[in-house]
Amino acid sequence: MAILKTEGLTYTYSAGTPFEKTAVDHVDLCIEENKMIGVIGHTGSGKSTLMQHFNGLLKPTSGKMLLEGEDIWADKAKLRDVRFKVGLVFQYPEYQLFEETVAKDIAFGPKNMGLSEAEIQTRILETADMLGMDRELLERSPFALSGGQKRRAAIAGVMAMRPKVLILDEPCAGLDPKGRNLMLSQIRNYQKKTQSTVLLVSHSMEDVAEFTEKLLVMSKAKLFCYEDTYQVFRRAEELKQLGLRVPQIASVMQSLRKKGYDLPEDLYTVEAAKNAVLALLGKGAVQC
Amino acid sequence: MEKIIKAEHIVFRYPADTEENQKPAENPPILKDISLEIEKGSFTAILGHNGSGKSTFAKHINAILLPESGKMYVENLDTSDENLLFEIRQKAGMVFQNPDNQIVATVVEEDVAFAPENLGVPPAEIRQRVDDALKAVNMYEYKNHAPTQLSGGQKQRIAIAGVIAMQPDCIILDEPTAMLDPQGRQEVMQTIQKLNQEKGITIVLITHYMEEAALADRIVVIDDGKIILDDTPKKVFSQVEQMKALGLDVPQVTELAYELRKVGYPVSPEIITEEECMQALEALL
């Protein structure tokens, strides 16, 4: 079932002024429940503007934004619920930490939802565990944590609300390779456990290749495609024209295919490429 | 070869926090005896995980930070001599991660002119330097634009132009592509390579992207305030296990070659580009 749906969604900044700019142009989308989705696009492609419609931060200039089949703008009083159901984590969320302790910071959202104290405590602990945060950190000041832990604390605050959809804008910006991998595996772990939908906005093709099932690609205010990740990376030439690229390994595998080697089309991680190359080598040996 | 940067046994620690946060009172040093020489006209990449001390080291090069003990020389100028500060910063310019924090003016060319103006360069020469700098980063046609209307990659190139207008011999870039999309990253990397190859500007690049580091002449890996690897990209990336243990990575093609070698196929450990990987695989298949 679709959790989020857009119908001809269009958004124009500064309409009626000389700075008028259509940032999202007639986007029709149907986003499923329980999916890990990557969102990619050139700077200025409209992906952030689109994301801000998903939880009602922006109202479409025309077209509709539906959550669980209901137009989120039909009844303004319900917008608060929409924001509980669709959580949005901005870039560098650690700058939004404000409480005295990590636990209190994480509790802020759930408290505003009116949950019981016991339920809030459970959620704090569960979320900290899913993100691999040491429980001892919960009583520390968020400002005394390392960069990566601060960011986890900030993300945990939104996760603890258990939104049906969680949107993360570049959650790994500025993290080192090991930190990126750990953060992304923990986010995927959260997605599996909660069976929610996670949208991961990223500039790293390698990261979305490894961690997402589907890709939403924006280009020049339009939806370029919304397909399974492996299908998107087959379209290397088109992606290059959009100012994007495919992971290094996908590019090598495609060049080999073009030269006539019998490799599958959907190789975009090192692991898959290795297995495919080994399979091919194995075949060769049999023929000898 | 002439050495443009000479670090001699640098030790550095940040001052203890006065606020009552729960940090241990003992403040461990961030840099523990770093010695490094960088040749004029070279392109060096510095790698290390978050907190390894690589940015702290970079900030020593143009005297934003001064060593607690040891010495840093830029073209034989001692960074701890306050009288040399202006001269040092003119020779070694720095570009940071976030382009929005580095742009001060509302028009592109005025922003690029900021540093030469402060150096007291005569107006006619400023004009010339600004034009040259903007051309060097391929942004000349944007000279009358407002920086706010540019993309991240364009803004970062303006920040680089602002440094070039000082006519430095060395540019230190601290994760200049961390906030950019793939195209912006490519624009900035091409600009850096061009400045290095055509103008002979010494480049020190700090990055978390292994593909970018693979473009350098030399890679220095810093871990826990010490230099632990210092070699060509091919040699450094051939240490796949050590790099992973350090919280770093290797380019995907290097990793594939490593995986194949591990199961017994004769693939070179020194594969770092797509072309090299293609050739190796074709030879194998």
Side-chain angles (χ1 to χ4, degrees), chain B residues 97-140:
Chain B
Q97 198 179 100
N98 189 344
D100 289 324
N101 295 346
Q102 301 170 77
I103 289 175
V104 291
T106 51
V107 179
V108 164
E109 62 176 6
E110 283 176 17
D111 189 79
V112 177
F114 182 78
E117 271 170 2
N118 278 284
L119 292 169
V121 175
E125 197 188 330
I126 293 183
R127 177 77 262 164
Q128 190 59 42
R129 284 195 189 190
V130 168
D131 289 349
D132 289 349
L134 283 170
K135 282 176 189 160
V137 299
N138 256 332
M139 287 296 289
Y140 184 68

CSV table of all heavy atoms in Angstrom, one decimal, chain B residues 97-140:
chain,number,residue,atom,x,y,z
B,97,GLN,N,35.4,23.5,4.4
B,97,GLN,CA,34.3,22.6,3.9
B,97,GLN,C,33.1,23.3,3.4
B,97,GLN,O,32.6,23.0,2.3
B,97,GLN,CB,33.9,21.7,5.1
B,97,GLN,CG,33.2,20.5,4.8
B,97,GLN,CD,32.8,19.7,6.0
B,97,GLN,OE1,31.7,19.7,6.5
B,97,GLN,NE2,33.8,18.9,6.5
B,98,ASN,N,32.6,24.3,4.1
B,98,ASN,CA,31.4,24.9,3.8
B,98,ASN,C,31.5,26.2,3.0
B,98,ASN,O,32.0,27.2,3.6
B,98,ASN,CB,30.6,25.2,5.1
B,98,ASN,CG,29.2,25.6,4.8
B,98,ASN,OD1,28.8,26.0,3.7
B,98,ASN,ND2,28.3,25.5,5.9
B,99,PRO,N,31.2,26.2,1.7
B,99,PRO,CA,31.4,27.4,1.0
B,99,PRO,C,30.7,28.6,1.5
B,99,PRO,O,31.1,29.8,1.4
B,99,PRO,CB,30.9,27.1,-0.4
B,99,PRO,CG,30.1,25.8,-0.3
B,99,PRO,CD,30.6,25.1,0.9
B,100,ASP,N,29.5,28.4,2.2
B,100,ASP,CA,28.7,29.5,2.7
B,100,ASP,C,29.4,30.3,3.8
B,100,ASP,O,29.1,31.4,4.1
B,100,ASP,CB,27.4,29.0,3.1
B,100,ASP,CG,26.5,28.6,2.0
B,100,ASP,OD1,26.6,29.3,0.9
B,100,ASP,OD2,25.7,27.6,2.1
B,101,ASN,N,30.3,29.6,4.5
B,101,ASN,CA,31.0,30.3,5.6
B,101,ASN,C,32.2,31.1,5.1
B,101,ASN,O,33.0,31.7,5.9
B,101,ASN,CB,31.5,29.2,6.6
B,101,ASN,CG,30.4,28.6,7.3
B,101,ASN,OD1,29.3,29.0,7.2
B,101,ASN,ND2,30.7,27.5,7.9
B,102,GLN,N,32.6,31.0,3.8
B,102,GLN,CA,33.8,31.6,3.3
B,102,GLN,C,33.6,32.8,2.4
B,102,GLN,O,34.5,33.4,1.9
B,102,GLN,CB,34.6,30.5,2.6
B,102,GLN,CG,35.0,29.3,3.4
B,102,GLN,CD,35.5,28.2,2.6
B,102,GLN,OE1,36.7,28.3,2.2
B,102,GLN,NE2,34.8,27.3,2.3
B,103,ILE,N,32.3,33.0,2.1
B,103,ILE,CA,32.0,34.1,1.1
B,103,ILE,C,31.5,35.3,1.9
B,103,ILE,O,30.6,35.2,2.7
B,103,ILE,CB,31.1,33.6,0.1
B,103,ILE,CG1,31.8,32.6,-0.8
B,103,ILE,CG2,30.5,34.7,-0.8
B,103,ILE,CD1,31.0,31.9,-1.9
B,104,VAL,N,32.2,36.4,1.7
B,104,VAL,CA,31.9,37.6,2.5
B,104,VAL,C,31.1,38.7,1.7
B,104,VAL,O,30.4,39.5,2.3
B,104,VAL,CB,33.2,38.3,3.1
B,104,VAL,CG1,33.7,37.3,4.2
B,104,VAL,CG2,34.2,38.6,2.0
B,105,ALA,N,31.3,38.8,0.4
B,105,ALA,CA,30.7,39.9,-0.3
B,105,ALA,C,29.4,39.4,-1.0
B,105,ALA,O,29.1,38.3,-1.1
B,105,ALA,CB,31.7,40.4,-1.4
B,106,THR,N,28.7,40.4,-1.6
B,106,THR,CA,27.4,40.1,-2.3
B,106,THR,C,27.6,40.0,-3.8
B,106,THR,O,26.6,39.7,-4.5
B,106,THR,CB,26.4,41.2,-1.9
B,106,THR,OG1,27.0,42.4,-2.2
B,106,THR,CG2,26.0,41.1,-0.5
B,107,VAL,N,28.8,40.3,-4.3
B,107,VAL,CA,29.0,40.1,-5.7
B,107,VAL,C,30.3,39.3,-5.8
B,107,VAL,O,31.3,39.4,-5.0
B,107,VAL,CB,29.3,41.5,-6.4
B,107,VAL,CG1,29.6,41.3,-7.9
B,107,VAL,CG2,28.1,42.4,-6.2
B,108,VAL,N,30.3,38.3,-6.7
B,108,VAL,CA,31.4,37.4,-6.9
B,108,VAL,C,32.7,38.1,-6.9
B,108,VAL,O,33.7,37.7,-6.2
B,108,VAL,CB,31.1,36.5,-8.1
B,108,VAL,CG1,32.4,35.7,-8.5
B,108,VAL,CG2,30.0,35.4,-7.8
B,109,GLU,N,32.9,39.0,-7.8
B,109,GLU,CA,34.2,39.6,-8.0
B,109,GLU,C,34.7,40.4,-6.8
B,109,GLU,O,35.9,40.4,-6.5
B,109,GLU,CB,34.3,40.5,-9.3
B,109,GLU,CG,33.4,41.7,-9.3
B,109,GLU,CD,33.7,42.5,-10.6
B,109,GLU,OE1,34.4,42.1,-11.5
B,109,GLU,OE2,33.1,43.6,-10.7
B,110,GLU,N,33.7,41.0,-6.1
B,110,GLU,CA,34.1,41.7,-4.9
B,110,GLU,C,34.6,40.7,-3.8
B,110,GLU,O,35.5,41.0,-3.0
B,110,GLU,CB,32.9,42.5,-4.3
B,110,GLU,CG,32.7,43.7,-5.1
B,110,GLU,CD,31.5,44.5,-4.6
B,110,GLU,OE1,31.0,44.2,-3.5
B,110,GLU,OE2,31.0,45.3,-5.4
B,111,ASP,N,34.0,39.5,-3.8
B,111,ASP,CA,34.4,38.5,-2.8
B,111,ASP,C,35.9,38.1,-3.1
B,111,ASP,O,36.7,38.0,-2.2
B,111,ASP,CB,33.5,37.3,-2.9
B,111,ASP,CG,33.8,36.4,-1.7
B,111,ASP,OD1,33.4,36.7,-0.6
B,111,ASP,OD2,34.5,35.4,-2.0
B,112,VAL,N,36.2,37.9,-4.4
B,112,VAL,CA,37.5,37.4,-4.8
B,112,VAL,C,38.5,38.5,-4.5
B,112,VAL,O,39.7,38.3,-4.2
B,112,VAL,CB,37.5,37.0,-6.3
B,112,VAL,CG1,38.9,36.6,-6.7
B,112,VAL,CG2,36.5,35.9,-6.5
B,113,ALA,N,38.1,39.8,-4.6
B,113,ALA,CA,39.0,40.9,-4.3
B,113,ALA,C,39.3,41.2,-2.9
B,113,ALA,O,40.2,41.9,-2.5
B,113,ALA,CB,38.4,42.2,-5.0
B,114,PHE,N,38.5,40.5,-2.0
B,114,PHE,CA,38.7,40.8,-0.6
B,114,PHE,C,40.1,40.7,0.0
B,114,PHE,O,40.6,41.6,0.6
B,114,PHE,CB,37.7,39.9,0.2
B,114,PHE,CG,37.7,40.1,1.7
B,114,PHE,CD1,37.0,41.2,2.2
B,114,PHE,CD2,38.4,39.3,2.6
B,114,PHE,CE1,37.0,41.4,3.6
B,114,PHE,CE2,38.4,39.5,3.9
B,114,PHE,CZ,37.7,40.6,4.4
B,115,ALA,N,40.7,39.5,-0.3
B,115,ALA,CA,42.0,39.3,0.2
B,115,ALA,C,43.1,40.3,-0.3
B,115,ALA,O,43.8,40.9,0.4
B,115,ALA,CB,42.5,37.9,0.1
B,116,PRO,N,43.2,40.4,-1.7
B,116,PRO,CA,44.2,41.4,-2.2
B,116,PRO,C,44.0,42.8,-1.7
B,116,PRO,O,44.9,43.5,-1.4
B,116,PRO,CB,44.0,41.3,-3.7
B,116,PRO,CG,42.9,40.3,-4.0
B,116,PRO,CD,42.6,39.6,-2.8
B,117,GLU,N,42.7,43.2,-1.5
B,117,GLU,CA,42.4,44.5,-0.9
B,117,GLU,C,43.1,44.6,0.4
B,117,GLU,O,43.7,45.6,0.8
B,117,GLU,CB,40.9,44.7,-0.8
B,117,GLU,CG,40.3,45.3,-2.0
B,117,GLU,CD,38.7,45.3,-1.9
B,117,GLU,OE1,38.2,44.9,-0.9
B,117,GLU,OE2,38.1,45.7,-2.9
B,118,ASN,N,42.9,43.6,1.2
B,118,ASN,CA,43.5,43.6,2.6
B,118,ASN,C,45.0,43.5,2.6
B,118,ASN,O,45.6,43.9,3.6
B,118,ASN,CB,42.9,42.5,3.4
B,118,ASN,CG,41.5,42.9,4.0
B,118,ASN,OD1,41.5,43.6,4.9
B,118,ASN,ND2,40.5,42.4,3.3
B,119,LEU,N,45.5,43.0,1.5
B,119,LEU,CA,47.0,43.0,1.4
B,119,LEU,C,47.6,44.3,0.9
B,119,LEU,O,48.8,44.4,0.8
B,119,LEU,CB,47.4,41.8,0.5
B,119,LEU,CG,47.1,40.4,1.0
B,119,LEU,CD1,47.4,39.4,-0.1
B,119,LEU,CD2,48.0,40.0,2.2
B,120,GLY,N,46.7,45.2,0.6
B,120,GLY,CA,47.2,46.5,0.1
B,120,GLY,C,47.7,46.5,-1.3
B,120,GLY,O,48.5,47.3,-1.7
B,121,VAL,N,47.1,45.6,-2.2
B,121,VAL,CA,47.6,45.5,-3.6
B,121,VAL,C,46.9,46.7,-4.3
B,121,VAL,O,45.8,47.1,-4.0
B,121,VAL,CB,47.0,44.2,-4.2
B,121,VAL,CG1,47.3,44.1,-5.7
B,121,VAL,CG2,47.6,43.0,-3.4
B,122,PRO,N,47.7,47.4,-5.2
B,122,PRO,CA,47.2,48.5,-6.0
B,122,PRO,C,45.9,48.1,-6.8
B,122,PRO,O,45.9,47.0,-7.3
B,122,PRO,CB,48.3,48.9,-6.9
B,122,PRO,CG,49.5,48.2,-6.4
B,122,PRO,CD,49.1,47.1,-5.6
B,123,PRO,N,44.9,49.0,-6.9
B,123,PRO,CA,43.7,48.7,-7.6
B,123,PRO,C,43.8,48.1,-9.0
B,123,PRO,O,43.1,47.1,-9.3
B,123,PRO,CB,42.9,50.1,-7.7
B,123,PRO,CG,43.5,50.8,-6.6
B,123,PRO,CD,44.9,50.4,-6.4
B,124,ALA,N,44.7,48.6,-9.8
B,124,ALA,CA,44.8,48.0,-11.1
B,124,ALA,C,45.2,46.6,-11.1
B,124,ALA,O,44.7,45.7,-11.8
B,124,ALA,CB,45.8,48.9,-12.0
B,125,GLU,N,46.1,46.3,-10.2
B,125,GLU,CA,46.6,44.9,-10.0
B,125,GLU,C,45.5,44.0,-9.5
B,125,GLU,O,45.4,42.9,-9.8
B,125,GLU,CB,47.9,44.8,-9.2
B,125,GLU,CG,48.6,43.5,-9.4
B,125,GLU,CD,49.7,43.3,-8.5
B,125,GLU,OE1,50.4,44.3,-8.1
B,125,GLU,OE2,50.0,42.1,-8.2
B,126,ILE,N,44.7,44.6,-8.5
B,126,ILE,CA,43.6,43.8,-8.0
B,126,ILE,C,42.7,43.3,-9.1
B,126,ILE,O,42.3,42.2,-9.2
B,126,ILE,CB,42.8,44.6,-7.0
B,126,ILE,CG1,43.6,44.9,-5.7
B,126,ILE,CG2,41.5,43.8,-6.6
B,126,ILE,CD1,42.9,45.6,-4.6
B,127,ARG,N,42.3,44.3,-10.0
B,127,ARG,CA,41.5,44.0,-11.2
B,127,ARG,C,42.1,42.8,-11.9
B,127,ARG,O,41.4,41.8,-12.2
B,127,ARG,CB,41.4,45.2,-12.0
B,127,ARG,CG,40.6,45.1,-13.3
B,127,ARG,CD,39.1,45.2,-13.1
B,127,ARG,NE,38.6,43.8,-13.1
B,127,ARG,CZ,37.4,43.5,-12.6
B,127,ARG,NH1,36.6,44.4,-12.0
B,127,ARG,NH2,37.0,42.3,-12.6
B,128,GLN,N,43.3,42.9,-12.2
B,128,GLN,CA,44.0,41.8,-13.0
B,128,GLN,C,44.0,40.5,-12.2
B,128,GLN,O,43.6,39.5,-12.8
B,128,GLN,CB,45.5,42.3,-13.2
B,128,GLN,CG,46.2,41.4,-14.2
B,128,GLN,CD,45.5,41.3,-15.6
B,128,GLN,OE1,45.0,42.4,-16.1
B,128,GLN,NE2,45.3,40.1,-16.1
B,129,ARG,N,44.3,40.6,-10.9
B,129,ARG,CA,44.4,39.3,-10.2
B,129,ARG,C,43.0,38.7,-10.1
B,129,ARG,O,42.9,37.4,-10.1
B,129,ARG,CB,44.8,39.6,-8.7
B,129,ARG,CG,46.3,39.9,-8.6
B,129,ARG,CD,46.7,39.8,-7.2
B,129,ARG,NE,48.0,40.2,-6.9
B,129,ARG,CZ,48.6,40.0,-5.7
B,129,ARG,NH1,47.9,39.5,-4.7
B,129,ARG,NH2,49.9,40.4,-5.5
B,130,VAL,N,41.9,39.5,-9.9
B,130,VAL,CA,40.6,38.9,-9.7
B,130,VAL,C,40.2,38.3,-11.0
B,130,VAL,O,39.7,37.1,-11.0
B,130,VAL,CB,39.6,40.1,-9.4
B,130,VAL,CG1,38.1,39.6,-9.5
B,130,VAL,CG2,39.8,40.5,-7.9
B,131,ASP,N,40.4,38.9,-12.2
B,131,ASP,CA,40.1,38.3,-13.4
B,131,ASP,C,40.8,37.0,-13.7
B,131,ASP,O,40.3,36.0,-14.1
B,131,ASP,CB,40.4,39.3,-14.6
B,131,ASP,CG,39.5,40.5,-14.6
B,131,ASP,OD1,38.5,40.4,-13.9
B,131,ASP,OD2,39.7,41.5,-15.3
B,132,ASP,N,42.1,37.0,-13.4
B,132,ASP,CA,42.9,35.8,-13.5
B,132,ASP,C,42.4,34.7,-12.7
B,132,ASP,O,42.3,33.6,-13.1
B,132,ASP,CB,44.4,36.1,-13.2
B,132,ASP,CG,45.1,37.0,-14.3
B,132,ASP,OD1,44.5,37.2,-15.3
B,132,ASP,OD2,46.2,37.5,-14.0
B,133,ALA,N,42.1,35.0,-11.4
B,133,ALA,CA,41.7,34.0,-10.4
B,133,ALA,C,40.4,33.4,-10.9
B,133,ALA,O,40.2,32.2,-10.8
B,133,ALA,CB,41.6,34.6,-9.0
B,134,LEU,N,39.4,34.3,-11.3
B,134,LEU,CA,38.1,33.8,-11.8
B,134,LEU,C,38.3,32.9,-13.0
B,134,LEU,O,37.6,31.9,-13.2
B,134,LEU,CB,37.2,34.9,-12.0
B,134,LEU,CG,36.6,35.5,-10.7
B,134,LEU,CD1,35.8,36.8,-11.0
B,134,LEU,CD2,35.7,34.5,-10.0
B,135,LYS,N,39.2,33.3,-13.9
B,135,LYS,CA,39.4,32.5,-15.1
B,135,LYS,C,40.0,31.1,-14.7
B,135,LYS,O,39.7,30.1,-15.3
B,135,LYS,CB,40.3,33.2,-16.1
B,135,LYS,CG,39.6,34.3,-16.9
B,135,LYS,CD,40.6,35.0,-17.8
B,135,LYS,CE,39.8,36.2,-18.4
B,135,LYS,NZ,40.8,37.3,-18.8
B,136,ALA,N,40.9,31.1,-13.7
B,136,ALA,CA,41.6,29.9,-13.3
B,136,ALA,C,40.6,28.9,-12.8
B,136,ALA,O,40.8,27.7,-12.9
B,136,ALA,CB,42.7,30.2,-12.3
B,137,VAL,N,39.5,29.3,-12.2
B,137,VAL,CA,38.5,28.4,-11.7
B,137,VAL,C,37.3,28.3,-12.6
B,137,VAL,O,36.3,27.7,-12.2
B,137,VAL,CB,38.1,28.7,-10.2
B,137,VAL,CG1,39.2,28.7,-9.3
B,137,VAL,CG2,37.3,30.1,-10.2
B,138,ASN,N,37.4,28.8,-13.8
B,138,ASN,CA,36.3,28.8,-14.7
B,138,ASN,C,35.0,29.5,-14.3
B,138,ASN,O,33.9,29.0,-14.5
B,138,ASN,CB,36.0,27.3,-15.1
B,138,ASN,CG,36.5,26.9,-16.4
B,138,ASN,OD1,36.7,27.8,-17.3
B,138,ASN,ND2,36.8,25.6,-16.6
B,139,MET,N,35.2,30.6,-13.6
B,139,MET,CA,34.0,31.3,-13.1
B,139,MET,C,33.9,32.7,-13.6
B,139,MET,O,33.2,33.5,-13.0
B,139,MET,CB,33.9,31.2,-11.6
B,139,MET,CG,33.6,29.8,-11.0
B,139,MET,SD,31.9,29.3,-11.4
B,139,MET,CE,30.9,30.4,-10.4
B,140,TYR,N,34.7,33.0,-14.6
B,140,TYR,CA,34.9,34.4,-15.0
B,140,TYR,C,33.5,35.0,-15.5
B,140,TYR,O,33.2,36.1,-15.1
B,140,TYR,CB,35.9,34.5,-16.2
B,140,TYR,CG,36.1,36.0,-16.6
B,140,TYR,CD1,36.8,36.9,-15.8
B,140,TYR,CD2,35.7,36.4,-17.9
B,140,TYR,CE1,37.0,38.2,-16.2
B,140,TYR,CE2,36.0,37.7,-18.3
B,140,TYR,CZ,36.6,38.6,-17.4
B,140,TYR,OH,36.8,39.9,-17.8
